[in-house]
Amino acid sequence: VVIRNGQFVTNEGKPFDTSKSISKRKEGFVAFTLNVNGELSIFQHRFQEVTGIAHSSMNASVPVFSAGEVKIKNGKLLTLTDRSGHYAPSLYNMYKTLDYFRKQGIDISDAKVYTSAKRKQVAHISKKLNIDIHKSENHPQFYELKATDLCNTYAAHMHKVVTNIQSDLDA
């Protein structure tokens, strides 16, 4: 799978679609890793105990930008999750992944992010970033938020932090 003209496409140039896939008993999802070189790996995440294929398999257990699951329909990103036992990505990793996708021309305006963070973590992040994170109706094991909200609030928060640091340095 590659990103071309703002879409996820197969090597044959056709829009990529995960509708017939399953990842960890969730229909329509596949697993992914995004390594530090910007290489995106997407793979079926079924029967790990039989196949031995896990997130860490795709990059020989070396550090990655992010890992989790994606739902893509006709080349369009619908959902991104932080579900990876080996890499245990944070919402910041999800932000960096979405930011990478946006820079590659992917439209994230309709995408959702699902996080498996604990309730206490979600409450802390929600309050600190002033962002709506709520229990997912479709996948109750996750909390859900809008991808654009995550990107915009993280970017604004980081800008504020950098501005404060610059003020401290100037003083």
Side-chain angles (χ1 to χ4, degrees):
V1 175
V2 295
I3 298 172
R4 189 178 302 133
N5 299 325
Q7 281 193 323
F8 294 94
V9 296
T10 64
N11 292 335
E12 295 81 34
K14 296 179 182 173
F16 184 69
D17 196 304
T18 64
S19 298
K20 296 180 181 167
S21 301
I22 297 176
S23 180
K24 295 284 187 173
R25 295 184 292 280
K26 285 186 299 308
E27 291 185 20
F29 285 85
V30 292
F32 82 93
T33 59
L34 179 62
N35 71 23
V36 295
N37 297 319
E39 297 164 334
L40 181 66
S41 297
I42 292 181
F43 59 98
Q44 296 288 329
H45 204 244
R46 300 171 75 179
F47 313 116
Q48 180 180 341
E49 60 282 353
V50 175
T51 64
I53 297 174
H55 283 103
S56 56
S57 306
M58 301 312 290
N59 293 281
S61 296
V62 298
V64 297
F65 245 161
S66 189
E69 300 163 314
V70 291
K71 183 183 235 183
I72 299 168
K73 186 165 185 152
N74 295 322
K76 183 175 175 71
L77 179 68
L78 299 179
T79 309
L80 181 73
T81 83
D82 63 1
R83 183 87 184 255
S84 171
H86 180 83
Y87 291 111
S90 66
L91 276 176
Y92 179 74
N93 296 110
M94 297 295 98
Y95 156 71
K96 291 301 289 180
T97 302
L98 289 165
D99 190 51
Y100 173 82
F101 288 163
R102 281 199 307 193
K103 288 176 180 171
Q104 300 299 310
I106 296 293
D107 177 13
I108 65 163
S109 62
D110 293 328
K112 294 179 182 175
V113 175
Y114 290 166
T115 179
S116 54
K118 302 288 184 235
R119 184 172 50 95
K120 200 172 195 178
Q121 287 176 293
V122 168
H124 174 74
I125 292 167
S126 180
K127 184 177 179 182
K128 185 170 184 158
L129 295 178
N130 192 25
I131 187 171
D132 176 35
I133 306 174
H134 55 275
K135 205 64 159 151
S136 172
E137 292 179 20
N138 296 333
H139 301 282
Q141 71 272 35
F142 289 109
Y143 288 91
E144 176 182 310
L145 62 156
K146 293 179 183 176
T148 51
D149 288 351
L150 179 65
C151 285
N152 295 338
T153 55
Y154 252 116
H157 179 73
M158 289 190 308
H159 178 73
K160 181 180 173 183
V161 168
V162 168
T163 301
N164 289 342
I165 290 170
Q166 187 62 50
S167 294
D168 289 347
L169 290 172
D170 292 343

